[in-house]
Amino acid sequence: MKKLLTATMYAVLLAACGDSNHRPVSRTFSAEVTRTSHGVVHVRADDFTGIGFGLAHAYAEDNICMLADSLLTVRGERSLYFGGEAPLTPSRNGEYSVAIDYLNMHRFEVRNEESDFFFKAYLDLDQLRAGYAAASTEVRDLLAGYVAGYNQYLRDHRNALPKACRDATWVKPMTIDDVYLLVAEKVIHASGELFPQLIVAAARDDTPRAQVAAAMPQIGWHNEGLGSNAIALGGDATVNGRGMLLANPHYPWFSTDRFYQAHLTVPGVYDAMGVTLGGLPIVVIGFNENVAWTHTVTKSWHFTTFRLPRDRSDPTGRTYLVDGVPERMTERVVDVQLRQADGSVRTRRKTFFQTRLGILMAAPGIPIGSDDVLVFADPSRNNTRSIEQWIAMGKADSVPRLQAELGRVLGLPWVNTIAADRDGNALFMDSSVVPHMSADKFMSNCLLFAPLLTFDGARSACHWGRDSDAPAGIFGPGNAPRLIRRDYVANSNESYWLSNSKQLLRGPPPLGFSPLYGPVDAEQQLRTRLGFAQLDDALAQRGRLDLSDLRKLLFSNRVLAAELVLPELLPGCAAASDTVMRRACAALAAWDRKVNVDSRGALLFREFWRQAAEIPALWRIPFDPADPVHTPRGIAPAALAPMLVQLRAAANRMDSLGVALDARLGDYQYQRVGGAIIPVHGGIGDSDGVYNALHMRGPLTAQGYDNVAWGTSYIQLVAFDNAGVVAHGLLAYGQSTDPVSSRYNDQLGLYTAKEVPRLPFTEEEIRADPNYQRTMIWEK
């Protein structure tokens, strides 16, 4: 069906677009917005202004409440509307959440007041404005168009917003500064956003309060994040000799890091399809007619800290020493408005302190002296290159060109890139923003405290270095891990070292890549091991693969932990004489060792393995760096008895809940959609060795696990043939966060059925889609 609508014309808000000095300019916005099956958005325009305009209009139609709510976060206005003590908006009624998932994963309980102070202090609008003033015209046009599109949609639909934000005073127009902040929040996911409480705690509180000050937050951080799988096949491993790609990011289902399916076209300039991330106005994982790419969260570290000595001659304590020379800290005064229980608003003020190495942070337990300060150094803090990077990637016509653009822009904040092209090249590259701390500085006395990467800031020789082909303070492409192969590259969030099982990647001699890029010769997580094992096995058996083979690898739902331990654990059950153990062993013996919705025994193994995996000296054959895919393995004789104890305990827990030991997985692992319960397949991932990772919100109860928290979200399978690109895609939770929308969770059934539909890419394919709808929007 073809549908043509015209929008009412409005004057553009002055803040919505302007030149680099923020003066208002006259501008016309127009775009063709087409939707195909499951609400997939195709935006076509004459320039990047129109692309941003059309995409924002479509995104707001599906997710305006979430986007408006997340704008409060980056503006530092949550306390003004919701009070300072409340947490960031959790998911309610299946709608959305703006809780920051990197923080949630590490159990940071961030209140609105802490969030507001952090973002107002940490994100520097002057620096962001300067960065975008120096950006390309395409970037500036894209962002200006995005602002205008959001604002037009809001004006047109103010009286018909979804229930989650209907009549809410906090839903306000967007400014160009807002979109700068929105992008900046995504950029600091794996750096500053990990430590908001510690940064806020280091500020001086300039507002007297009667109540007792809050306790100092403790460090509880590990270098972990959300996960992903990626496989790029080269021409030597595919049936037709061209490249193929599997993209399988494991991201949140309800937060601002949800994906959104979009196809953006400026004829003759840019034509890429895939997904955007949480309101970002560009395709971040996707493909064009010649190249397909995806990202996985890196094992790299994206920050350091420094210990700086105070200058004792300064009684204010605001001077520090570098090479014995005093330098004065700068101050930033931040006001946050807090709504009180009676509806009144009061203002609280804090002063944050900045050195040339970074912002002060308070970290109890870090070994610094009483006259020292600790600063947090983040090279992504003012990184305005990410949008430029994704535009350049979408334009690339080959893997070599894509690699060159990654090295030229250096805008990716915390992800690896895995790509394949029409010519049969496969690429792995970690071109993320990594602090320039070379290996020799780790081998010297510069590193003072490894857990928080604390270096000696008193000596300039221990500060970040610089490469001639990179912005100050980060590594350039010549010092970044990369690998091009004709068979395959793959990654499941481990370091660059294992990107191909036949060619373990090491840095240049004598010291290799910086340790900040991740470890070498390190034991791999079970999810990574299964990914390489099943790919190597498939290639050994078939020689060359096609897209259906990649789909089978993704949805194999094998549990590697079970494959490793059950052959030796089950014979150990023979001596069990009690009823509980006989029932438990029988359930595991009959289990298919998978996590399909019909698998019986998967629940028992998961509950058992959660504890059994922590048994010391578990493996009989130790890890071998020469064989990271197949070691360690085998149960150590001394570990068998403790494992049987854990199996009995897991069975007893399930009995106490009234859950059968051979219960069907889909009866207890599901997603609630309205009044319906949709069984979902998948497993935890790293700990149990399931490639198709899916994390539920809570522990097992008599009713089952709570809804999905994060895991397999967007799936992209891409190949190339003589006619063009062949792409299949799936967004497990659908395009919309509004429960009454037809696009809310409408793809969940496809995920459950392991179906990944064909994506229309050419104009002919788009028009042939049975759910084709076309809208022209404009504003002058």
Side-chain angles (χ1 to χ4, degrees):
M1 179 176 68
K2 184 174 180 179
K3 181 178 180 183
L4 180 65
L5 300 175
T6 61
T8 304
M9 292 191 178
Y10 293 97
V12 180
L13 290 179
L14 297 185
C17 64
D19 63 15
S20 60
N21 295 314
H22 304 280
R23 293 186 296 264
V25 297
S26 177
R27 186 172 292 185
T28 298
F29 302 92
S30 63
E32 174 187 292
V33 179
T34 301
R35 289 203 187 250
T36 51
S37 294
H38 302 291
V40 176
V41 171
H42 308 262
V43 181
R44 187 180 183 91
D46 293 335
D47 52 29
F48 277 86
T49 305
I51 289 297
F53 180 67
L55 178 59
H57 202 280
Y59 188 81
E61 183 179 352
D62 287 323
N63 298 293
I64 190 167
C65 295
M66 182 175 70
L67 184 52
D69 199 339
S70 62
L71 287 173
L72 294 181
T73 300
V74 298
R75 290 173 184 147
E77 294 182 347
R78 303 199 63 80
S79 300
L80 174 61
Y81 293 95
F82 305 133
E85 295 302 315
L88 274 66
T89 306
S91 177
R92 287 191 288 259
N93 303 317
E95 289 166 337
Y96 69 91
S97 167
V98 298
I100 300 166
D101 292 87
Y102 272 90
L103 305 187
N104 285 351
M105 283 187 64
H106 299 94
R107 296 180 173 83
F108 288 109
E109 299 295 334
V110 179
R111 299 175 295 114
N112 284 333
E113 181 181 327
E114 293 168 323
S115 173
D116 289 344
F117 272 118
F118 170 73
F119 282 106
K120 281 192 166 186
Y122 202 75
L123 300 183
D124 189 329
L125 268 173
D126 289 338
Q127 294 285 339
L128 296 176
R129 289 166 180 160
Y132 283 110
S136 70
T137 300
E138 291 176 340
V139 170
R140 296 198 302 272
D141 285 351
L142 180 70
L143 299 184
Y146 196 78
V147 172
Y150 174 87
N151 289 340
Q152 185 199 72
Y153 184 87
L154 178 58
R155 291 193 301 271
D156 281 355
H157 300 86
R158 166 64 79 176
N159 297 323
L161 297 182
K163 182 179 179 180
C165 61
R166 191 173 302 156
D167 301 322
T169 57
W170 47 266
V171 180
K172 301 184 293 186
M174 184 190 294
T175 69
I176 195 67
D177 283 347
D178 288 339
V179 78
Y180 293 166
L181 295 171
L182 194 67
V183 176
E185 186 272 328
K186 294 287 185 285
V187 168
I188 61 170
H189 267 358
S191 52
E193 208 166 74
L194 291 167
F195 301 100
Q197 292 172 307
L198 301 183
I199 290 169
V200 172
R204 184 182 68 214
D205 195 338
D206 297 330
T207 306
R209 300 206 307 174
Q211 60 265 42
V212 178
M216 181 71 71
Q218 298 296 309
I219 296 175
W221 178 82
H222 302 281
N223 189 23
E224 299 171 353
L226 302 178
S228 301
N229 297 318
I231 297 173
L233 296 183
D236 291 350
T238 65
V239 171
N240 69 356
R242 302 187 184 275
M244 291 198 311
L245 181 85
L246 163 66
N248 175 218
H250 302 153
Y251 271 56
W253 281 34
F254 285 97
S255 85
T256 56
D257 283 325
R258 283 171 52 107
F259 289 114
Y260 188 73
Q261 288 180 284
H263 179 192
L264 309 179
T265 304
V266 179
V269 178
Y270 179 93
D271 190 16
M273 186 176 187
V275 285
T276 66
L277 180 64
L280 292 183
I282 196 65
V283 171
V284 297
I285 290 175
F287 58 91
N288 58 35
E289 64 179 357
N290 295 304
V291 181
W293 75 92
T294 187
H295 297 305
T296 58
V297 175
T298 72
K299 197 72 169 181
S300 300
W301 300 64
H302 303 282
F303 66 87
T304 66
T305 62
F306 289 98
R307 184 188 72 184
L308 284 169
R310 297 182 194 269
D311 181 357
R312 295 183 181 180
S313 66
D314 178 4
T316 68
R318 300 308 173 197
T319 302
Y320 59 95
L321 300 172
V322 175
D323 296 329
V325 178
E327 298 183 17
R328 184 77 179 175
M329 299 178 192
T330 58
E331 299 182 2
R332 184 168 189 178
V333 178
V334 174
D335 289 338
V336 167
Q337 293 182 295
L338 299 98
R339 183 165 298 278
Q340 307 301 293
D342 62 3
S344 63
V345 175
R346 71 177 180 90
T347 300
R348 188 174 179 194
R349 172 171 292 178
K350 288 180 181 287
T351 300
F352 293 79
F353 300 95
Q354 179 77 27
T355 73
R356 68 177 165 105
L357 296 180
I359 192 170
L360 261 64
M361 69 185 300
I366 302 299
I368 61 174
S370 58
D371 289 326
D372 298 329
V373 295
L374 186 69
V375 299
F376 185 80
D378 179 1
S380 289
R381 187 175 176 188
N382 297 309
N383 171 16
T384 56
R385 303 181 303 278
S386 60
I387 301 299
E388 187 88 65
Q389 182 71 86
W390 280 308
I391 290 176
M393 293 174 67
K395 291 181 177 181
D397 59 2
S398 67
V399 155
R401 171 51 57 187
L402 180 66
Q403 180 183 1
E405 291 300 322
L406 289 169
R408 178 184 67 85
V409 182
L410 292 170
L412 296 178
W414 36 266
V415 289
N416 300 307
T417 300
I418 296 87
D421 68 12
R422 169 178 299 280
D423 297 326
N425 299 302
L427 167 72
F428 166 86
M429 186 170 182
D430 184 350
S431 62
S432 62
V433 173
V434 174
H436 196 298
M437 278 294 184
S438 53
D440 61 300
K441 291 182 181 177
F442 282 82
M443 300 178 69
S444 69
N445 58 359
C446 284
L447 181 61
L448 304 177
F449 184 67
L452 206 59
L453 293 172
T454 306
F455 289 84
D456 186 359
R459 294 179 288 156
S460 58
C462 296
H463 295 181
W464 293 345
R466 180 166 190 174
D467 285 343
S468 60
D469 56 351
I474 67 173
F475 286 109
N479 284 316
R482 61 204 178 278
L483 182 65
I484 292 183
R485 298 273 304 187
R486 293 288 300 181
D487 53 356
Y488 75 82
V489 294
N491 184 264
S492 291
N493 309 116
E494 295 286 2
S495 80
Y496 63 89
W497 174 62
L498 178 57
S499 299
N500 180 291
S501 63
K502 301 177 182 63
Q503 183 183 353
L504 298 177
L505 182 58
R506 299 181 183 274
L511 300 179
F513 297 118
S514 167
L516 292 184
Y517 279 108
V520 299
D521 297 333
E523 184 177 335
Q524 306 292 286
Q525 297 279 8
L526 292 182
R527 174 167 58 94
T528 291
R529 290 176 57 185
L530 177 63
F532 281 97
Q534 62 183 10
L535 177 57
D536 286 341
D537 288 346
L539 288 170
Q541 294 169 14
R542 302 230 11 224
R544 293 175 179 266
L545 308 181
D546 58 23
L547 278 186
S548 66
D549 293 310
L550 287 183
R551 186 186 66 81
K552 291 174 184 176
L553 293 178
L554 169 61
F555 289 135
S556 70
N557 282 339
R558 291 168 55 185
V559 182
L560 181 59
E563 296 177 9
L564 292 174
V565 304
L566 288 186
E568 295 175 75
L569 178 67
L570 291 177
C573 291
S577 58
D578 60 282
T579 303
V580 171
M581 284 298 289
R582 286 199 301 269
R583 289 169 43 235
C585 293
L588 292 181
W591 175 39
D592 62 6
R593 302 181 190 184
K594 294 184 178 182
V595 280
N596 291 319
V597 293
D598 291 325
S599 294
R600 295 179 178 274
L603 286 169
L604 174 60
F605 185 83
R606 179 180 300 178
E607 295 304 304
F608 150 73
W609 187 248
R610 285 180 186 274
Q611 304 302 319
E614 303 301 320
I615 294 173
L618 176 62
W619 303 109
R620 175 170 45 84
I621 298 174
F623 170 68
D624 180 358
D627 187 13
V629 174
H630 303 103
T631 61
R633 65 179 184 270
I635 300 176
L640 182 58
M643 291 185 78
L644 293 172
V645 170
Q646 292 298 340
L647 179 58
R648 180 182 284 104
N652 285 332
R653 286 195 302 273
M654 291 181 64
D655 281 344
S656 69
L657 294 172
V659 178
L661 302 187
D662 62 349
R664 177 177 173 268
L665 177 64
D667 291 336
Y668 291 87
Q669 180 171 278
Y670 49 79
Q671 182 77 7
R672 295 182 184 273
V673 181
I677 291 178
I678 311 297
V680 290
H681 51 84
I684 296 173
D686 286 344
S687 63
D688 58 1
V690 175
Y691 201 63
N692 174 32
L694 203 70
H695 287 240
M696 308 304 288
R697 291 193 177 187
L700 181 64
T701 68
Q703 290 72 43
Y705 301 104
D706 202 353
N707 286 350
V708 177
W710 60 276
T712 291
S713 46
Y714 176 60
I715 297 168
Q716 178 178 282
L717 294 162
V718 182
F720 303 93
D721 61 19
N722 293 334
V725 61
V726 179
H728 295 252
L730 167 70
L731 189 62
Y733 38 69
Q735 293 278 75
S736 179
T737 51
D738 183 1
V740 302
S741 170
S742 62
R743 297 185 285 273
Y744 177 81
N745 270 316
D746 65 319
Q747 299 188 53
L748 185 57
L750 295 172
Y751 170 74
T752 297
K754 301 182 180 180
E755 296 178 8
V756 186
R758 176 78 180 261
L759 295 175
F761 183 72
T762 66
E763 187 66 21
E764 293 75 20
E765 290 172 333
I766 293 169
R767 289 181 179 273
D769 188 278
N771 295 293
Y772 172 83
Q773 291 184 325
R774 176 173 171 263
T775 303
M776 295 299 297
I777 58 173
W778 68 80
E779 177 169 291
K780 185 174 181 180

